[in-house]
Amino acid sequence: MTSQGLRASPEGIRAAKTALTDKTWSQHKLAIALGITRQPVSKFFAGESVSRSCFVQICQQLGLSWQKVAGLPENVAFEVTTKTQIKGTDLDTLVREVRQKRQEKIQDQCNTLQMLDISQTVQLMDIYTNTNVLEEIVSLQWQEISDLLKDLKSESDFNQLGGYNRQKRLPGLEAVLRHSKLMVLGKPGSGKTIFLQYLAIECNKGDFQPNRIATFIRMKEFAEDVKNDSEFNLLNYIIQDFLNCGVAKESTKTLLTEGKLLILLDGLDEVPAEKAEQLTIEIRRLTQTFYKNKFVISCRIAAQKYRFQGFTEVELEDFDQGQIEFFAKNWFVGVALKSKEDGEAIGNLFINQLHLPENQHIRELAVTPLLLHLICLVFQVKNQFPVNPAKLYEQALNILLFRWDEVRGIKRDRVAYNLTLASKKKLIFQLAAITFEQKKYFFEQENILQLIADYLEPIQNLNSDATQCQLDNEAVLKAIEVQNGLLVERARGIYSFSHLTFQEYFTARKIVESYQDYDCNNLVNHITERHWRQVFLLTVTMLPNANEILHLMKQKIDLLLADDEKLQYFLTWLHQKSSSVSSSYKAAGIRAFYLICVERSSCICSRHNAFVYASGYDLECALVGNITFNAELVLDEFLFSTVACIHDLDLAFEYTLNDTLDHAYALVIAFDKAIEVVVDLKFKQVLQKLKKQLPKIDSNPEQFRDWWKAKSKIWGEQLRDMLIKHRHIGYDWQFNEQQKELLQKYYNGNKLLVDCLNIAADVTPIVRHEIEETLLLAIADIEKLRNSSNIR
């Protein structure tokens, strides 16, 4: 039976001519695109009868509904069914038979993974982690930069920006069940392909969509397999795929017509640009003609050029903490090929170390499955994370820039000016350094385009058309976003780097690569700014020699307190007290110990804003380590704790009696420990006498409270006098707010300097000794030390 011809209505012809004009095509060019002669095209526009199949192809090529062009109801379907209707029971039997025939093919296609830098294949189900999606595409939301900053309460929130926190998560499988046509969008390495392979495997087993048959098509392979435009036909491709499994052509058409296929189209973004439009038309044709089937298409989120009618778009969500742990524990068994017992033990060690404060920046990258795989690869070498994370970040950069596409044989379109890999890296480093210097985590599209234009200007043709230059700048931005995933659109027209860690690393790379012409003072001037900490650490690890920058850091830190006489006197006391302690520890470490003791006992800073960075390591710990084996330091720590408890107890009286008693008990405990470890008999007797003046807390709490209100001030002054006399501690420094803030910056700066000193790639022993010897000293004491030694 031949299909009856169709003719365009007058309204349809007008719509078709408008669409042809919009595409700037002639009828001849349309015929070439369709792979047919010009005659049926001419008949179509003349309103004459054209074969049904040709009519539908012309309309779809123009992006029009063939039913509307023909003046027919929208529910009229294209005739592809077999001559006779198949009964329901027969159809169920056919589905089972065809699934059985395709069982091995789907297993071969989808049950294994070839993971980056892993020589053997990995079983999908050994590593697969359940995926969640967001029903609202983050980059399409209308938000201001102020909205994003409001969500950025800490660096750990950076990956959850752009509406992530406000959206309800939906399991990926549930999204596929809800929508017959689904577009799954995601960043590079977010797990799109693995998700579609998982759907195919589950359907193949009959555990998911048991009444359908899975067909998995890699868009890149489809585009490669067709030899010419006439073979660029998804329907024929599916029919041939089924024929290879022993399924007759008519059976495949029947299954398609009855909606019995789960059609998974993977990697729409991986098709070369010259074939993208043709492929889009093919997908439209297939999904509109065989609309009863379930379709899932995957594509990189920034590569989304076309929207398909009837498709719901969702975005793959980054891994949360639970998913990271699940993936990592499976990785060390299924990928590293450890025994179940050993793999789980290493996985637990990995998770424990990942949670350490100093690994927060590595943890930030772990939300992306591809980068989490890289982190696991690095960890398994020594069962620990690298001391120098810059090498890990460089590997991550190379993976996103070229290796991930390279190992899969994907060739992306060259961006404007045919930027080399080195040029693209330099551009990214410059974008990061400028925006980070401006304290911008987020930037408007026009701002980032201007920065790209500034970088490209020296290599632009001076005679280039201004409009073309703008287009080229946008092409470069889109390439960095689509191809590499290093920039992401957090909201409409608002961009950021995909990870804050990358922005910090790229900034450090820019400093290192331009170091010969770089004024190190530009970096050192940021030494008191917390968000520059990681840039300092990364910079010193990548410099071939960090002597100069470490010296400048030391000078900048010393100058912070140089103009304040009281703070200089405090540092002099710190030096004198530390020098009186008999200890094998570094002198700077002892000074750091007493500095933090004063902070805790004098409440120089609030309990929630102490002298430590987010790394969680105190300066004295970095320099001294465990002080429990030094009797003098242990005693002084208990005495300082006693002084701190007095201050806390005074504040507690503003609250309930229970709060007061809790602090009173803490005071007694600290005092008892001090008395227990003191060696000097006379000093011990003085402390015991002061202890006896304290009323018993348990016998009469009200009496203790009354006594404290009446006599604690005198009692505390007596204690301080004894501490000054016997231990040269306990002074009430009475720093003002400005001095407290300066001391906090001073402490944090020294902590950063010590961390840089310990992690720097190359520091000469002389420089290391000079810095350590003069840490936490007053300017006058530094000069004395320099005059009496070889220190510069």
Side-chain angles (χ1 to χ4, degrees):
M1 178 187 295
T2 58
S3 298
Q4 184 180 358
L6 293 172
R7 66 179 71 228
S9 66
E11 294 79 7
I13 293 173
R14 283 194 291 272
K17 287 182 177 179
T18 300
L20 194 68
T21 302
D22 290 342
K23 287 180 173 288
T24 66
W25 281 2
S26 63
Q27 292 185 18
H28 178 65
K29 190 172 181 180
L30 175 60
I32 293 175
L34 290 167
I36 59 177
T37 63
R38 186 175 177 180
Q39 183 181 15
V41 175
S42 299
K43 285 185 175 182
F44 173 89
F45 281 97
E48 299 177 15
S49 179
V50 179
S51 70
R52 195 178 183 90
S53 61
C54 191
F55 187 93
V56 172
Q57 287 184 51
I58 292 172
C59 292
Q60 291 178 336
Q61 187 75 23
L62 294 174
L64 301 172
S65 165
W66 66 268
Q67 296 97 329
K68 285 185 177 180
V69 173
L72 297 173
E74 282 290 323
N75 59 358
V76 175
F78 181 52
E79 184 181 358
V80 294
T81 57
T82 52
K83 293 181 181 180
T84 59
Q85 290 292 322
I86 188 167
K87 294 180 181 179
T89 54
D90 294 336
L91 185 60
D92 292 340
T93 301
L94 179 61
V95 168
R96 289 194 296 272
E97 290 176 352
V98 173
R99 181 188 288 123
Q100 184 63 37
K101 289 181 178 180
R102 288 185 51 76
Q103 193 89 28
E104 291 184 3
K105 174 64 181 291
I106 293 297
Q107 287 294 111
D108 180 69
Q109 269 187 310
C110 302
N111 198 43
T112 58
L113 303 172
Q114 194 68 55
M115 302 186 76
L116 186 71
D117 292 336
I118 298 294
S119 57
Q120 73 281 354
T121 58
V122 177
Q123 295 296 305
L124 174 77
M125 300 310 294
D126 287 345
I127 196 68
Y128 180 75
T129 304
N130 286 330
T131 301
N132 295 325
V133 300
L134 302 173
E135 293 188 284
E136 294 181 28
I137 306 303
V138 170
S139 61
L140 298 181
Q141 297 184 41
W142 291 100
Q143 292 193 81
E144 303 292 336
I145 289 179
S146 57
D147 298 323
L148 297 173
L149 288 172
K150 198 181 301 179
D151 288 340
L152 188 61
K153 297 180 179 65
S154 67
E155 293 177 3
S156 60
D157 294 328
F158 194 79
N159 292 310
Q160 298 300 311
L161 293 173
Y164 273 56
N165 290 329
R166 294 185 293 274
Q167 286 203 46
K168 181 181 178 182
R169 279 80 171 158
L170 184 68
L173 284 179
E174 187 174 336
V176 178
L177 288 173
R178 283 190 187 183
H179 307 287
S180 61
K181 296 178 180 178
L182 193 69
M183 173 78 81
V184 178
L185 304 171
K187 295 177 290 189
S190 58
K192 301 179 295 294
T193 296
I194 292 179
F195 177 57
L196 263 62
Q197 288 183 222
Y198 175 73
L199 293 176
I201 291 296
E202 290 298 288
C203 181
N204 204 35
K205 294 189 300 184
D207 293 339
F208 179 75
Q209 294 287 287
N211 61 334
R212 298 184 193 272
I213 302 160
T215 178
F216 181 89
I217 301 174
R218 290 183 170 88
M219 294 286 89
K220 171 182 173 291
E221 294 179 358
F222 167 71
E224 291 173 344
D225 289 347
V226 294
K227 297 176 182 177
N228 51 59
D229 288 347
S230 63
E231 294 183 5
F232 208 89
N233 187 298
L234 270 173
L235 173 59
N236 291 340
Y237 194 81
I238 292 173
I239 289 172
Q240 185 59 52
D241 185 38
F242 276 56
L243 276 172
N244 294 339
C245 297
V247 181
K249 179 179 180 179
E250 290 302 317
S251 295
T252 303
K253 283 189 173 183
T254 297
L255 292 167
L256 279 164
T257 304
E258 297 296 331
K260 293 301 178 182
L261 265 59
L262 170 61
I263 301 175
L264 306 166
L265 306 177
D266 180 51
L268 182 59
D269 59 283
E270 297 173 1
V271 176
E274 63 271 15
K275 295 185 179 181
E277 186 174 356
Q278 195 173 358
L279 178 61
T280 302
I281 293 168
E282 272 302 300
I283 293 174
R284 283 182 184 152
R285 180 181 300 161
L286 183 71
T287 57
Q288 290 176 2
T289 303
F290 301 104
Y291 59 88
K292 291 183 181 180
N293 297 277
K294 187 174 281 290
F295 295 89
V296 183
I297 304 174
S298 73
C299 181
R300 287 190 179 180
I301 189 162
Q304 179 189 13
K305 297 179 182 178
Y306 306 101
R307 305 191 74 176
F308 297 103
Q309 183 178 359
F311 272 77
T312 298
E313 297 174 350
V314 296
E315 180 178 347
L316 280 183
E317 187 190 23
D318 289 337
F319 274 178
D320 60 24
Q321 195 55 49
Q323 290 168 317
I324 291 173
E325 293 184 10
F326 183 86
F327 180 96
K329 289 177 180 178
N330 285 337
W331 193 95
F332 288 102
V333 177
V335 180
L337 298 181
K338 303 290 184 182
S339 68
K340 185 174 178 60
E341 183 178 349
D342 290 343
E344 288 180 352
I346 298 173
N348 288 326
L349 179 64
F350 174 91
I351 295 301
N352 290 335
Q353 290 197 26
L354 191 66
H355 285 168
L356 294 176
E358 64 267 30
N359 292 325
Q360 187 271 324
H361 291 81
I362 295 177
R363 193 163 63 248
E364 184 189 327
L365 299 181
V367 299
T368 301
L370 176 62
L371 299 183
L372 177 54
H373 164 66
L374 168 67
I375 294 168
C376 291
L377 266 174
V378 171
F379 185 87
Q380 75 162 341
V381 176
K382 296 181 179 179
N383 286 346
Q384 65 181 34
F385 293 112
V387 176
N388 179 5
K391 293 181 180 179
L392 173 63
Y393 302 152
E394 178 66 13
Q395 286 293 318
L397 173 62
N398 288 334
I399 285 172
L400 293 177
L401 277 179
F402 69 94
R403 288 199 63 220
W404 184 227
D405 282 341
E406 183 180 68
V407 296
R408 296 178 300 152
I410 297 171
K411 295 181 179 180
R412 303 283 177 184
D413 301 321
R414 298 293 294 271
V415 298
Y417 311 112
N418 289 324
L419 286 177
T420 63
L421 180 62
S423 295
K424 188 186 287 188
K425 281 186 175 182
K426 288 181 179 179
L427 169 59
I428 293 168
F429 299 160
Q430 182 161 311
L431 294 178
I434 292 174
T435 54
F436 196 81
E437 178 77 34
Q438 296 171 346
K439 296 183 179 180
K440 290 182 178 178
Y441 291 144
F442 312 102
F443 18 84
E444 302 280 356
Q445 180 172 326
E446 54 266 28
N447 298 140
I448 202 72
L449 287 175
Q450 184 58 54
L451 293 176
I452 292 173
D454 293 342
Y455 175 82
L456 295 177
E457 186 176 7
I459 55 177
Q460 281 180 336
N461 186 333
L462 295 178
N463 298 320
S464 293
D465 178 70
T467 303
Q468 183 59 43
C469 289
Q470 176 67 19
L471 291 175
D472 290 339
N473 297 337
E474 291 179 359
V476 172
L477 172 60
K478 191 55 80 172
I480 298 173
E481 183 186 8
V482 176
Q483 298 178 12
N484 315 129
L486 296 172
L487 286 172
V488 297
E489 195 171 5
R490 297 289 183 181
R492 282 188 180 272
I494 299 176
Y495 286 81
S496 79
F497 283 89
S498 56
H499 301 278
L500 179 57
T501 293
F502 279 154
Q503 190 176 12
E504 294 166 337
Y505 169 67
F506 299 154
T507 300
R509 282 289 301 270
K510 174 65 176 177
I511 293 170
V512 171
E513 295 198 354
S514 58
Y515 193 72
Q516 294 298 327
D517 303 316
Y518 184 77
D519 183 356
C520 293
N521 285 304
N522 291 337
L523 175 61
V524 172
N525 287 335
H526 296 290
I527 200 165
T528 61
E529 299 173 44
R530 176 173 175 170
H531 73 286
W532 278 84
R533 171 181 168 78
Q534 196 66 13
V535 176
F536 276 93
L537 292 170
L538 289 167
T539 299
V540 298
T541 61
M542 292 186 287
L543 283 174
N545 187 301
N547 288 340
E548 179 188 4
I549 200 164
L550 290 171
H551 264 302
L552 288 174
M553 289 173 67
K554 180 66 170 62
Q555 292 170 11
K556 185 73 173 180
I557 293 165
D558 289 337
L559 289 174
L560 287 173
L561 309 186
D563 297 329
D564 192 301
E565 291 184 10
K566 186 172 185 178
L567 293 178
Q568 286 294 303
Y569 178 74
F570 170 69
L571 293 180
T572 298
W573 167 83
L574 202 64
H575 177 44
Q576 292 171 350
K577 173 58 188 174
S578 303
S579 300
S580 69
V581 175
S582 176
S583 172
S584 60
Y585 298 123
K586 294 177 181 178
I590 305 300
R591 292 194 288 271
F593 167 78
Y594 281 105
L595 174 58
I596 202 67
C597 283
V598 170
E599 180 272 326
R600 289 167 181 162
S601 62
S602 304
C603 294
I604 291 174
C605 296
S606 70
R607 285 289 178 263
H608 302 291
N609 199 18
F611 280 159
V612 289
Y613 270 120
S615 65
Y617 283 111
D618 288 342
L619 176 56
E620 73 274 19
C621 291
L623 290 167
V624 178
N626 192 339
I627 57 106
T628 57
F629 298 106
N630 185 286
E632 284 191 90
L633 296 178
V634 171
L635 170 61
D636 284 345
E637 184 174 37
F638 288 145
L639 293 172
F640 273 113
S641 295
T642 303
V643 174
C645 288
I646 292 173
H647 183 276
D648 291 340
L649 188 51
D650 287 336
L651 294 177
F653 277 99
E654 299 175 10
Y655 302 100
T656 66
L657 179 59
N658 287 336
D659 288 330
T660 303
L661 295 178
D662 287 342
H663 287 289
Y665 284 123
L667 169 64
V668 172
I669 291 172
F671 211 170
D672 285 343
K673 287 182 177 178
I675 294 171
E676 182 182 340
V677 299
V678 70
V679 176
D680 185 297
L681 183 59
K682 189 174 181 181
F683 185 38
K684 183 187 284 282
Q685 290 173 346
V686 170
L687 293 179
Q688 289 172 335
K689 184 178 179 181
L690 283 170
K691 170 70 186 304
K692 288 180 180 179
Q693 294 181 29
L694 290 173
K696 298 294 183 182
I697 302 173
D698 293 327
S699 59
N700 193 332
E702 296 288 346
Q703 181 184 0
F704 179 85
R705 184 175 64 180
D706 294 341
W707 180 91
W708 188 265
K709 287 183 177 180
K711 299 183 178 180
S712 64
K713 186 174 182 181
I714 297 174
W715 185 86
E717 288 175 354
Q718 290 176 347
L719 175 63
R720 282 186 179 275
D721 289 342
M722 292 302 102
L723 296 183
I724 293 170
K725 179 180 179 180
H726 292 276
R727 296 299 306 160
H728 193 30
I729 62 174
Y731 297 97
D732 186 3
W733 292 101
Q734 295 184 341
F735 296 117
N736 61 36
E737 290 303 316
Q738 183 180 2
Q739 289 168 332
K740 291 178 182 180
E741 184 178 350
L742 280 173
L743 272 173
Q744 182 170 350
K745 290 180 178 180
Y746 181 75
Y747 181 92
N748 288 340
N750 277 288
K751 173 64 173 64
L752 175 59
L753 176 60
V754 170
D755 288 342
C756 288
L757 191 64
N758 290 336
I759 200 174
D762 185 17
V763 183
T764 60
I766 293 176
V767 170
R768 183 180 298 276
H769 175 73
E770 290 173 354
I771 291 175
E772 290 182 347
E773 285 297 301
T774 58
L775 277 174
L776 304 177
L777 287 181
I779 300 296
D781 291 324
I782 293 175
E783 293 301 322
K784 288 180 184 177
L785 194 59
R786 284 175 176 164
N787 293 333
S788 62
S789 65
N790 295 325
I791 293 177
R792 291 186 293 180

